[in-house]
Amino acid sequence: MSEETPVWKALNLAMDAEMSDDDSVFTLGEDVGLYGGSYRVTQDLYARYGEWRVRDTPISEGSFTGLAVGAAMVGMRPVVEIMTVNFALLALDAIINMAAKIPFMSGGQFPMPLVVRMPGGVAKQLAAQHSQRLEHTLMNVPGLRIAVPATPQDAWWQLRQAIRSDEPIVFLEHELLYFSKGTLDTKLPPPPMHRATVRRPGNDLTIISYSHMAKLSLKAAERLSAEGMDIEVIDLRSLRPIDWDSCAASVEKTHHLLVVEEDCGFAGAGAEIVATLTERCFHFLDAPAQRLAGLDMPTPYNGTLETASIPTTASIADAARQMLLPGEIS
Amino acid sequence: MKKEPITMPVLSDTMESGHLIKWLKQPGDRVKKGDILAEAESDKAIMDVEAFSDGYLTGPLASPGTDIPTGTVIGYISDAPEHAGNETEQQPSIPATTSTSQNSTQPATHPSAAPPHEHARHNTRDIKASPYARGLAHELGVNLATVPPGPQGIIQAPQVVAAAMQGPQPNLDAGPGWRFKMLSSMRRAVADNMSATVNTPTFRISSDLRMDLLRQAAKKRGMSLTLLLAKALALTVTKHPLFNAVYTPNGLALRQQVNVGIAADVPGGLLTPVLHNAAERPVPELAEDWRILKNKLKRQRLAPEDYEGATIYLSNLGMFKVVKSFEAIVPLGAAAILSVGAQKDGAASGTLSCDHRVVYGADAARFLETLTALLNNPGDWS
């Protein structure tokens, strides 16, 4: 298919395909109907499927996410769009207390085929309340699944797999990736939903990352390749569950682990990844596993400070160099 | 205050670390560009560490008596003096392996620098090594206590692999108690150079060389016997140019000039000062070169260009009356080395060790014929 599909288009196509395949799929959220979604993910769906299946909602995340939970319990396949992850805080009761618990507490009598999509991450000067990453909060909820696609190909298949799944899935989309383009081949078979993927094979050091940071890590790896460092980049694609086998195999090969995350480092995804892989691969590590993460602070509005508060291609490359050539960089 | 780091300089191509002998300036001393700040020993010679800018020497300074990887910061030059007191107390986090090879002759100038000491590292649990390095050491049968640490003073996989590549190691725990004396840089260089020759297929061929006439000629001209032997060797090589070649996987490298490396016994090691273009240059000129080289040798001031680039080697142990004959190892970079024993009845045993990939037995026999002829008629060429 198209060589240069943006991520938003891949998501849009996935929505369209699932809605056309299955009448029980519907979407709801703020501005998903007439406006076509803040990032165009539901563009044209309103015209195609009508206002019952593409529902504009009031600004009331708690109630419309709760509505979707109820719909999922009785056999629908709702796809909630929350305008940004920052607003999802209002919907956490529905997500954490209801969606994540109901299948467990009902002894499996109620499935939960719910998808909650939410754009997030540090975009461009949206200030502290609109630049959050909530991985650290959502990862700590047993019963939830979390998908973090970084490419159009992954966005396409993972959203379709999420909609078909009977488990509650939070779908984290990065605001800076919507207009990033890549190859989309809808004929390619999908990898398993939670399988990590090796974006670039290498022998000297493993970088594990996800979403926008996986893209930057890949750029850093290409830069380091010119300096003779052979970096393997793993894109997790899923934060819950995490594909530990793929990660461990890589660390056992390169003996060096660097985790790159945009979210604050404290008690975040990187902490979990480093802890688990240190438990699993301790005897294979030739240097302490490292994290490169967002600073432990609200995101500054000032553009320079904002950039300094999260990893960049340059800082990722520096961190990798520091691990491979200690002492040569001051 | 601006502080510019002083780093352990790279003094030769093969140098990976330098042995900091002593500081010649104290923290707080005003220094000018070009001033000598410290003395460092490379794998071959003692060299000066110079100031590259004007300012004040500032700590923390690296401890004398330690081996320090090239490029590591050993001190600072700042644009303003500072209280020299406490700074020097804190040792910088410089990876260093202690060594005592220079202690007796080079007392540390620093009252604050703890004298380096030897210690046995019997308990490998106390050694800083990465988990992977430990696993590798276990699998490869490498005793971590014998592995020099890498950057930041931690043993990592590359150091274990390097140790394993050096071949099997003696089991020290089986015998009596022991302690380590770290190798001096020169000793390490010799060890590395010799280990590098294990893949050279070598044969040896011996002959009695007439020395009485050469000795007379040397005495008459006030020159050293070794120098004239080197000249005779160089002239022989010009008649047998294959002996000036060296084997490489891409082919034989045929060199255009004969440089004779002469093995020299120095305190704590072995060096090979080189007589450049020994075949074509006149003997008096070579004699002057040799005098200068010996002088540098005595002061341990041989520079890389003084000891690198030999194409043929001479090792003369004739001054030891007890040596009848011996077989030297062909150094990497040459096809042959001539070993000369002590004289008896006007002759000395000469053994030519050769790289069989370059020259063969009959070549070596013809080589010795030419050499013998030259030694029988020193008047013709010396």
Side-chain angles (χ1 to χ4, degrees):
Chain A
M1 229 184 108
S2 166
E3 283 289 305
E4 290 292 293
T5 308
V7 168
W8 74 263
K9 185 67 187 170
L11 293 167
N12 178 247
L13 290 170
M15 287 293 294
D16 193 6
E18 287 304 311
M19 290 183 83
S20 125
D21 283 0
D22 184 349
D23 288 344
S24 63
V25 178
F26 73 104
T27 184
L28 71 170
E30 294 149 10
D31 284 338
V32 298
L34 270 176
Y35 187 70
S38 302
Y39 292 96
R40 302 171 71 177
V41 173
T42 52
Q43 181 173 287
D44 297 337
L45 300 181
Y46 187 75
R48 197 162 303 155
Y49 300 102
E51 62 178 351
W52 277 99
R53 293 184 66 196
V54 184
R55 293 199 66 89
D56 277 323
T57 65
I59 304 176
S60 178
E61 285 80 6
S63 52
F64 67 75
T65 309
L67 184 155
V69 169
M73 286 174 73
V74 295
M76 301 294 283
R77 296 194 170 272
V79 180
V80 177
E81 175 175 307
I82 294 186
M83 193 176 275
T84 81
V85 292
N86 307 280
F87 311 152
L89 293 169
L90 288 163
L92 287 188
D93 185 56
I95 295 170
I96 297 176
N97 250 339
M98 299 180 205
K101 307 287 192 293
I102 284 170
F104 178 79
M105 296 183 75
S106 68
Q109 295 180 77
F110 290 111
M112 191 51 60
L114 168 73
V115 178
V116 187
R117 294 180 35 246
M118 38 182 102
V122 176
K124 292 215 163 59
Q125 288 193 270
L126 298 181
Q129 291 168 312
H130 290 74
S131 303
Q132 296 180 85
R133 293 76 68 196
L134 294 185
E135 293 93 287
H136 59 270
T137 303
L138 297 166
M139 279 176 72
N140 206 4
V141 180
L144 272 191
R145 304 266 176 190
I146 304 170
V148 278
T151 65
Q153 188 69 29
D154 284 346
W156 155 259
W157 264 125
Q158 282 186 290
L159 183 53
R160 297 196 67 182
Q161 290 168 317
I163 293 170
R164 292 174 192 180
S165 163
D166 282 341
E167 293 177 286
I169 295 178
V170 173
F171 208 80
L172 295 175
E173 299 161 11
H174 198 286
E175 290 170 24
L176 291 186
L177 288 176
Y178 281 116
F179 297 96
S180 124
K181 291 179 179 174
T183 308
L184 174 62
D185 184 348
T186 54
K187 300 283 186 297
L188 271 184
M193 168 117 181
H194 309 295
R195 169 81 46 85
T197 189
V198 175
R199 291 270 177 241
R200 181 186 193 284
N203 286 308
D204 296 341
L205 178 141
T206 298
I207 295 182
I208 295 180
S209 192
Y210 57 91
S211 193
H212 188 230
M213 287 295 146
K215 194 177 159 188
L216 297 193
S217 298
L218 194 57
K219 269 195 204 166
E222 299 299 344
R223 203 177 279 187
L224 292 167
S225 162
E227 297 170 27
M229 282 168 262
D230 191 16
I231 312 289
E232 180 147 308
V233 178
I234 290 188
D235 179 356
L236 286 177
R237 296 173 74 248
S238 165
L239 286 177
R240 193 177 178 103
I242 286 175
D243 177 5
W244 295 117
D245 287 350
S246 295
C247 296
S250 177
V251 171
E252 288 174 12
K253 180 176 73 169
T254 67
H255 311 293
H256 293 84
L257 170 62
L258 171 65
V259 179
V260 180
E261 58 184 327
E262 185 180 303
D263 201 358
C264 306
F266 186 82
E272 177 57 38
I273 295 165
V274 165
T276 300
L277 288 178
T278 302
E279 285 170 353
R280 276 190 61 159
C281 310
F282 180 80
H283 295 287
F284 290 90
L285 287 170
D286 202 22
Q290 300 283 330
R291 281 176 291 164
L292 183 67
L295 299 184
D296 196 18
M297 64 182 294
T299 304
Y301 170 70
N302 175 288
T304 307
L305 295 178
E306 181 187 72
T307 305
S309 75
I310 53 171
T312 59
T313 307
S315 70
I316 296 167
D318 275 349
R321 280 191 206 103
Q322 191 70 59
M323 287 184 73
L324 290 177
L325 311 165
E328 294 194 15
I329 300 140
S330 51
Chain B
M1 189 179 65
K2 224 175 77 186
K3 273 167 76 171
E4 296 282 344
I6 307 163
T7 55
M8 175 58 72
V10 179
L11 304 172
S12 78
D13 293 347
T14 54
M15 177 175 174
E16 286 170 358
S17 67
H19 187 89
L20 184 63
I21 293 170
K22 63 177 171 187
W23 286 97
L24 301 174
K25 302 275 185 193
Q26 297 294 320
D29 283 0
R30 175 142 182 76
V31 297
K32 283 220 276 296
K33 188 175 175 182
D35 280 1
I36 298 165
L37 302 176
E39 284 184 348
E41 184 193 6
S42 75
D43 44 4
K44 296 280 169 65
I46 294 172
M47 305 283 240
D48 300 325
V49 180
E50 291 182 3
F52 48 83
S53 62
D54 296 349
Y56 297 87
L57 186 62
T58 305
L61 301 180
S63 308
T66 53
D67 282 344
I68 299 168
T70 56
T72 306
V73 176
I74 58 173
Y76 297 88
I77 290 180
S78 58
D79 54 5
E82 62 175 7
H83 299 295
N86 295 338
E87 278 264 17
T88 56
E89 303 278 349
Q90 323 157 352
Q91 290 306 317
S93 60
I94 286 171
T97 50
T98 56
S99 157
T100 57
S101 62
Q102 296 292 335
N103 273 4
S104 48
T105 52
Q106 310 283 355
T109 52
H110 258 265
S112 60
H117 56 91
E118 292 170 10
H119 56 253
R121 299 183 296 175
H122 284 289
N123 188 351
T124 57
R125 281 169 177 273
D126 297 338
I127 297 171
K128 272 195 191 172
S130 79
Y132 183 52
R134 277 180 200 284
L136 267 185
H138 182 72
E139 297 225 333
L140 298 172
V142 170
N143 182 352
L144 279 180
T146 64
V147 179
Q152 301 181 334
I154 297 165
I155 298 173
Q156 289 174 296
Q159 288 88 50
V160 175
V161 171
M165 299 284 280
Q166 286 174 2
Q169 312 219 347
N171 177 9
L172 293 166
D173 295 331
W178 50 274
R179 61 182 191 140
F180 274 115
K181 178 174 166 57
M182 298 308 253
L183 293 180
S184 70
S185 3
M186 191 192 296
R187 207 164 250 289
R188 183 169 293 288
V190 171
D192 290 346
N193 291 345
M194 290 300 105
S195 299
T197 66
V198 293
N199 289 323
T200 308
T202 310
F203 70 92
R204 292 136 198 119
I205 182 164
S206 297
S207 173
D208 283 338
L209 302 176
R210 185 164 178 188
M211 300 298 272
D212 53 346
L213 297 174
L214 194 68
R215 173 178 283 276
Q216 283 168 22
K219 201 171 250 175
K220 200 166 78 189
R221 310 187 56 169
M223 288 173 182
S224 95
L225 185 70
T226 301
L227 173 77
L228 288 187
L229 259 176
K231 176 71 182 176
L233 186 63
L235 289 172
T236 309
V237 171
T238 55
K239 302 246 169 56
H240 304 272
L242 259 191
F243 282 81
N244 211 39
V246 66
Y247 176 83
T248 80
N250 297 326
L252 296 182
L254 309 170
R255 276 82 64 96
Q256 295 163 340
Q257 171 183 310
V258 182
N259 294 345
V260 182
I262 301 170
D265 172 36
V266 296
L270 165 69
L271 284 171
T272 54
V274 176
L275 285 175
H276 289 271
N277 202 7
E280 289 177 13
R281 292 163 63 210
V283 172
E285 206 177 303
L286 294 173
E288 177 61 10
D289 268 19
W290 184 231
R291 190 186 63 77
I292 294 169
L293 286 173
K294 281 208 286 200
N295 191 0
K296 285 186 181 174
L297 200 60
K298 203 177 293 169
R299 293 184 300 120
Q300 299 189 34
R301 285 294 190 280
L302 231 45
E305 59 268 27
D306 295 326
Y307 58 76
E308 286 176 354
T311 60
I312 185 105
Y313 284 87
L314 171 65
S315 181
N316 181 9
L317 288 181
M319 59 291 273
F320 297 99
K321 293 295 164 222
V322 69
V323 177
K324 183 165 172 258
S325 70
F326 70 103
E327 298 164 349
I329 291 173
V330 185
L332 209 62
I337 180 168
L338 178 68
S339 322
V340 180
Q343 285 185 51
K344 200 181 169 198
D345 304 328
S349 159
T351 301
L352 196 63
S353 309
C354 306
D355 183 343
H356 210 314
R357 295 169 302 185
V358 183
V359 292
Y360 308 147
D363 300 326
R366 285 188 283 269
F367 186 94
L368 282 183
E369 274 181 356
T370 305
L371 180 66
T372 303
L374 287 171
L375 296 183
N376 289 347
N377 300 290
D380 296 351
W381 51 269
S382 69

